[in-house]
Amino acid sequence: MTTLTTTHAPARYGFRQAGRMEWVKLRTLRSTYYTLLLTVVSMVAIGVVTMANTKAPSPDKAATFDPTNNVLAGVALGQLLIGVLGVLIVTGEYSSGSIRSTLAALPDRRLLLTAKASVYGGMVLLVGEAVAFLTFFAGRAALADGVPRPDLGDAGVLRAVLMSGAYPGMIGLMGLGIGAITRHTASAISSLVGVTFVLPALIGGISGPTVAKYFPTMIAGNSLAVAKPVSDMLAPWTGCAVLCLYTAVVLGVGARLLARRDA
Protein backbone atom coordinates (compact mmCIF):
# COMPACT_ATOMS: atom_id res chain seq x y z
CA MET A 1 0.00 0.00 0.00
CA THR A 2 1.41 3.33 -1.03
CA THR A 3 1.13 6.37 1.20
CA LEU A 4 0.95 9.67 -0.58
CA THR A 5 2.32 12.70 1.14
CA THR A 6 1.98 16.26 0.01
CA THR A 7 4.23 19.11 0.88
CA HIS A 8 3.39 22.76 0.64
CA ALA A 9 6.12 25.14 -0.29
CA PRO A 10 6.24 28.22 1.90
CA ALA A 11 4.56 31.23 0.40
CA ARG A 12 6.97 33.57 -1.27
CA TYR A 13 6.31 37.26 -1.05
CA GLY A 14 8.07 39.76 -3.22
CA PHE A 15 7.85 43.51 -3.58
CA ARG A 16 4.78 43.31 -5.82
CA GLN A 17 2.77 41.33 -3.27
CA ALA A 18 3.96 43.54 -0.42
CA GLY A 19 3.11 46.69 -2.33
CA ARG A 20 -0.36 45.41 -3.19
CA MET A 21 -0.98 44.57 0.46
CA GLU A 22 0.09 48.05 1.58
CA TRP A 23 -2.01 49.72 -1.10
CA VAL A 24 -5.11 47.83 0.02
CA LYS A 25 -4.52 48.89 3.63
CA LEU A 26 -3.84 52.50 2.69
CA ARG A 27 -6.88 53.01 0.47
CA THR A 28 -9.24 51.39 2.97
CA LEU A 29 -8.32 53.82 5.75
CA ARG A 30 -10.79 56.70 6.05
CA SER A 31 -8.05 58.85 7.55
CA THR A 32 -6.20 58.67 4.21
CA TYR A 33 -9.03 60.34 2.32
CA TYR A 34 -9.77 62.88 5.05
CA THR A 35 -6.13 63.90 5.38
CA LEU A 36 -5.54 64.23 1.65
CA LEU A 37 -8.76 66.21 1.18
CA LEU A 38 -7.83 68.55 4.03
CA THR A 39 -4.35 68.95 2.54
CA VAL A 40 -5.72 69.94 -0.85
CA VAL A 41 -8.33 72.34 0.54
CA SER A 42 -5.97 74.02 3.02
CA MET A 43 -3.08 74.48 0.57
CA VAL A 44 -5.31 75.95 -2.12
CA ALA A 45 -7.18 78.18 0.34
CA ILE A 46 -4.01 79.54 1.93
CA GLY A 47 -2.48 80.17 -1.48
CA VAL A 48 -5.54 82.00 -2.78
CA VAL A 49 -5.96 84.13 0.36
CA THR A 50 -2.26 85.00 0.41
CA MET A 51 -2.25 86.03 -3.24
CA ALA A 52 -5.48 88.02 -2.88
CA ASN A 53 -3.73 90.08 -0.19
CA THR A 54 -0.47 90.46 -2.09
CA LYS A 55 0.18 94.06 -3.12
CA ALA A 56 2.27 95.38 -5.96
CA PRO A 57 5.86 95.97 -4.79
CA SER A 58 7.38 99.37 -4.47
CA PRO A 59 10.09 100.21 -7.02
CA ASP A 60 12.89 99.54 -4.53
CA LYS A 61 11.54 96.03 -3.81
CA ALA A 62 10.56 95.04 -7.33
CA ALA A 63 13.78 93.09 -7.91
CA THR A 64 13.14 90.76 -4.95
CA PHE A 65 9.36 90.49 -5.34
CA ASP A 66 8.53 86.77 -5.47
CA PRO A 67 4.78 86.01 -5.68
CA THR A 68 5.57 82.35 -6.34
CA ASN A 69 6.78 82.03 -2.76
CA ASN A 70 3.56 83.65 -1.56
CA VAL A 71 1.22 81.35 -3.46
CA LEU A 72 2.97 78.26 -2.12
CA ALA A 73 2.71 79.35 1.53
CA GLY A 74 0.22 76.56 2.25
CA VAL A 75 2.97 73.96 1.90
CA ALA A 76 3.81 74.55 5.58
CA LEU A 77 0.43 73.16 6.66
CA GLY A 78 0.37 70.51 3.95
CA GLN A 79 3.67 69.04 5.12
CA LEU A 80 2.32 68.66 8.66
CA LEU A 81 -0.82 66.82 7.53
CA ILE A 82 1.07 64.50 5.19
CA GLY A 83 3.76 63.89 7.81
CA VAL A 84 1.22 62.97 10.50
CA LEU A 85 -0.50 60.55 8.12
CA GLY A 86 2.89 58.96 7.43
CA VAL A 87 3.34 58.46 11.17
CA LEU A 88 -0.10 56.89 11.55
CA ILE A 89 0.49 54.40 8.75
CA VAL A 90 3.09 52.71 10.95
CA THR A 91 2.07 53.49 14.52
CA GLY A 92 -1.59 52.72 13.84
CA GLU A 93 -0.67 49.09 13.21
CA TYR A 94 1.25 48.92 16.47
CA SER A 95 -1.52 50.51 18.52
CA SER A 96 -4.16 48.17 17.06
CA GLY A 97 -1.95 45.10 17.22
CA SER A 98 -2.43 44.40 13.51
CA ILE A 99 1.34 44.65 13.01
CA ARG A 100 1.57 41.01 14.18
CA SER A 101 -0.70 39.87 11.37
CA THR A 102 1.24 41.97 8.89
CA LEU A 103 4.56 40.49 9.98
CA ALA A 104 3.11 36.98 9.94
CA ALA A 105 2.14 37.49 6.30
CA LEU A 106 5.36 39.30 5.42
CA PRO A 107 8.24 38.36 7.75
CA ASP A 108 10.82 40.39 5.78
CA ARG A 109 10.58 43.62 7.73
CA ARG A 110 12.85 45.66 5.50
CA LEU A 111 10.74 44.66 2.52
CA LEU A 112 7.64 45.65 4.49
CA LEU A 113 8.93 49.15 5.21
CA THR A 114 10.15 49.52 1.63
CA ALA A 115 6.67 48.65 0.37
CA LYS A 116 5.02 51.07 2.81
CA ALA A 117 7.39 53.87 1.81
CA SER A 118 7.01 53.21 -1.92
CA VAL A 119 3.22 53.07 -1.89
CA TYR A 120 2.73 56.04 0.42
CA GLY A 121 5.54 58.07 -1.11
CA GLY A 122 4.22 57.54 -4.63
CA MET A 123 0.69 58.50 -3.65
CA VAL A 124 1.60 61.70 -1.81
CA LEU A 125 4.03 62.69 -4.56
CA LEU A 126 1.21 62.59 -7.11
CA VAL A 127 -1.16 64.43 -4.77
CA GLY A 128 1.51 66.98 -3.84
CA GLU A 129 2.34 67.83 -7.44
CA ALA A 130 -1.32 68.07 -8.41
CA VAL A 131 -2.20 70.39 -5.53
CA ALA A 132 0.94 72.51 -6.07
CA PHE A 133 -0.06 73.25 -9.66
CA LEU A 134 -3.71 73.73 -8.70
CA THR A 135 -2.69 76.18 -5.97
CA PHE A 136 -0.38 78.05 -8.32
CA PHE A 137 -3.02 78.65 -10.97
CA ALA A 138 -5.80 79.43 -8.47
CA GLY A 139 -3.58 81.85 -6.54
CA ARG A 140 -2.35 83.47 -9.72
CA ALA A 141 -5.93 84.18 -10.74
CA ALA A 142 -6.61 85.76 -7.33
CA LEU A 143 -3.94 88.44 -7.74
CA ALA A 144 -5.26 91.99 -7.93
CA ASP A 145 -4.83 94.04 -11.08
CA GLY A 146 -1.46 95.68 -11.29
CA VAL A 147 0.37 92.95 -9.35
CA PRO A 148 2.91 91.10 -11.52
CA ARG A 149 1.65 87.58 -12.21
CA PRO A 150 4.16 84.70 -12.12
CA ASP A 151 4.24 82.40 -15.11
CA LEU A 152 5.57 78.86 -15.37
CA GLY A 153 7.89 80.07 -18.09
CA ASP A 154 9.54 82.60 -15.79
CA ALA A 155 12.96 81.77 -14.40
CA GLY A 156 12.74 79.46 -11.38
CA VAL A 157 8.93 79.30 -11.23
CA LEU A 158 8.36 75.82 -12.66
CA ARG A 159 11.18 74.45 -10.50
CA ALA A 160 9.65 76.03 -7.39
CA VAL A 161 6.21 74.56 -8.07
CA LEU A 162 7.62 71.09 -8.79
CA MET A 163 9.83 71.08 -5.69
CA SER A 164 6.99 72.35 -3.51
CA GLY A 165 4.85 69.46 -4.75
CA ALA A 166 7.54 66.93 -3.89
CA TYR A 167 8.37 68.41 -0.48
CA PRO A 168 5.27 67.13 1.42
CA GLY A 169 6.03 63.65 0.09
CA MET A 170 9.50 63.74 1.62
CA ILE A 171 8.09 64.92 4.94
CA GLY A 172 5.51 62.13 4.73
CA LEU A 173 8.28 59.58 4.31
CA MET A 174 10.16 61.09 7.24
CA GLY A 175 6.99 60.74 9.31
CA LEU A 176 6.72 57.12 8.25
CA GLY A 177 10.34 56.52 9.24
CA ILE A 178 9.91 58.27 12.59
CA GLY A 179 6.85 56.11 13.21
CA ALA A 180 8.95 53.00 12.60
CA ILE A 181 11.61 54.31 14.99
CA THR A 182 9.35 55.24 17.91
CA ARG A 183 6.33 52.91 17.28
CA HIS A 184 4.23 55.33 19.37
CA THR A 185 1.91 57.88 17.78
CA ALA A 186 2.28 60.70 20.30
CA SER A 187 6.07 60.59 20.47
CA ALA A 188 6.40 60.27 16.70
CA ILE A 189 4.15 63.25 15.99
CA SER A 190 5.91 65.27 18.69
CA SER A 191 9.27 64.49 17.09
CA LEU A 192 7.98 65.44 13.65
CA VAL A 193 6.51 68.74 14.83
CA GLY A 194 9.61 69.51 16.86
CA VAL A 195 11.97 69.02 13.93
CA THR A 196 9.85 70.82 11.36
CA PHE A 197 8.41 73.72 13.38
CA VAL A 198 9.65 74.16 16.95
CA LEU A 199 13.42 73.71 16.65
CA PRO A 200 13.83 75.92 13.55
CA ALA A 201 12.01 78.77 15.32
CA LEU A 202 14.05 78.40 18.52
CA ILE A 203 17.41 78.00 16.82
CA GLY A 204 16.62 80.70 14.28
CA GLY A 205 15.88 83.13 17.09
CA ILE A 206 19.22 82.37 18.73
CA SER A 207 21.67 81.97 15.85
CA GLY A 208 19.78 83.32 12.86
CA PRO A 209 19.80 81.31 9.63
CA THR A 210 23.27 79.84 10.16
CA VAL A 211 21.90 76.57 11.57
CA ALA A 212 18.15 76.98 11.07
CA LYS A 213 18.53 76.97 7.28
CA TYR A 214 19.25 73.22 7.43
CA PHE A 215 15.85 72.37 8.93
CA PRO A 216 13.16 71.06 6.55
CA THR A 217 10.64 73.88 6.96
CA MET A 218 13.28 76.55 6.43
CA ILE A 219 14.51 74.72 3.34
CA ALA A 220 10.98 74.55 1.94
CA GLY A 221 10.03 78.15 2.68
CA ASN A 222 13.26 79.83 1.66
CA SER A 223 14.83 77.50 -0.89
CA LEU A 224 12.43 75.13 -2.64
CA ALA A 225 9.37 77.37 -3.01
CA VAL A 226 11.20 80.47 -4.21
CA ALA A 227 11.74 81.58 -7.77
CA LYS A 228 14.41 84.07 -6.73
CA PRO A 229 17.40 83.20 -4.50
CA VAL A 230 17.19 84.15 -0.82
CA SER A 231 20.36 85.38 0.82
CA ASP A 232 21.89 83.26 3.60
CA MET A 233 19.73 80.25 2.66
CA LEU A 234 20.54 77.02 0.86
CA ALA A 235 20.32 77.02 -2.91
CA PRO A 236 17.20 75.16 -4.16
CA TRP A 237 18.99 72.06 -5.45
CA THR A 238 21.24 71.96 -2.39
CA GLY A 239 18.19 72.11 -0.15
CA CYS A 240 16.53 69.34 -2.15
CA ALA A 241 19.62 67.15 -1.77
CA VAL A 242 19.68 67.77 1.99
CA LEU A 243 16.01 66.79 2.29
CA CYS A 244 16.61 63.61 0.27
CA LEU A 245 19.49 62.76 2.61
CA TYR A 246 17.32 63.33 5.69
CA THR A 247 14.60 61.12 4.24
CA ALA A 248 17.01 58.31 3.42
CA VAL A 249 18.64 58.42 6.86
CA VAL A 250 15.33 58.39 8.77
CA LEU A 251 13.95 55.52 6.68
CA GLY A 252 17.23 53.63 7.01
CA VAL A 253 17.20 53.91 10.79
CA GLY A 254 13.54 52.95 10.87
CA ALA A 255 14.18 49.87 8.73
CA ARG A 256 17.09 48.78 10.91
CA LEU A 257 15.15 49.11 14.15
CA LEU A 258 12.07 47.45 12.65
CA ALA A 259 14.21 44.44 11.70
CA ARG A 260 15.93 44.17 15.08
CA ARG A 261 13.04 44.64 17.53
CA ASP A 262 10.14 42.39 18.42
CA ALA A 263 6.67 43.41 17.29
Side-chain angles (χ1 to χ4, degrees):
M1 183 175 181
T2 302
T3 302
L4 297 177
T5 59
T6 58
T7 59
H8 298 278
R12 298 176 64 86
Y13 290 93
F15 178 78
R16 179 182 297 181
Q17 291 77 14
R20 185 181 298 116
M21 178 180 68
E22 290 304 318
W23 170 243
V24 169
K25 289 192 291 186
L26 185 60
R27 68 183 176 84
T28 53
L29 290 173
R30 284 182 295 179
S31 57
T32 299
Y33 297 98
Y34 294 152
T35 302
L36 294 181
L37 178 60
L38 183 58
T39 299
V40 173
V41 172
S42 61
M43 286 182 62
V44 173
I46 292 173
V48 169
V49 171
T50 303
M51 291 297 262
N53 288 278
T54 297
K55 307 299 181 182
S58 58
D60 60 315
K61 296 182 179 180
T64 58
F65 181 63
D66 190 359
T68 302
N69 193 19
N70 292 353
V71 75
L72 297 171
V75 169
L77 179 57
Q79 63 152 354
L80 178 60
L81 296 171
I82 295 297
V84 169
L85 181 58
V87 167
L88 294 175
I89 288 174
V90 177
T91 60
E93 289 201 61
Y94 278 98
S95 61
S96 67
S98 62
I99 189 65
R100 296 182 180 87
S101 300
T102 298
L103 293 176
L106 185 62
D108 189 334
R109 300 185 180 197
R110 288 188 174 89
L111 177 60
L112 172 63
L113 191 63
T114 300
K116 283 183 180 293
S118 299
V119 171
Y120 183 60
M123 182 188 69
V124 293
L125 175 61
L126 291 175
V127 172
E129 294 296 353
V131 71
F133 278 96
L134 177 60
T135 302
F136 176 80
F137 288 113
R140 185 177 181 274
L143 277 172
D145 294 336
V147 181
R149 281 175 165 76
D151 188 87
L152 291 179
D154 297 342
V157 172
L158 179 59
R159 185 265 307 151
V161 175
L162 287 171
M163 284 188 170
S164 296
Y167 171 71
M170 286 189 277
I171 297 298
L173 291 177
M174 288 185 203
L176 193 148
I178 293 172
I181 292 171
T182 66
R183 303 191 295 181
H184 297 285
T185 301
S187 59
I189 292 177
S190 298
S191 299
L192 180 68
V193 173
V195 170
T196 54
F197 287 101
V198 179
L199 285 179
L202 291 176
I203 294 177
I206 296 173
S207 65
T210 304
V211 177
K213 66 182 179 181
Y214 292 100
F215 283 87
T217 304
M218 298 292 284
I219 293 175
N222 298 290
S223 297
L224 300 190
V226 298
K228 298 181 180 180
V230 178
S231 60
D232 299 325
M233 291 293 169
L234 299 179
W237 291 109
T238 303
C240 183
V242 170
L243 287 173
C244 290
L245 177 61
Y246 290 165
T247 304
V249 169
V250 173
L251 286 174
V253 174
R256 181 175 177 80
L257 292 178
L258 183 63
R260 292 171 62 90
R261 295 185 299 200
D262 293 334

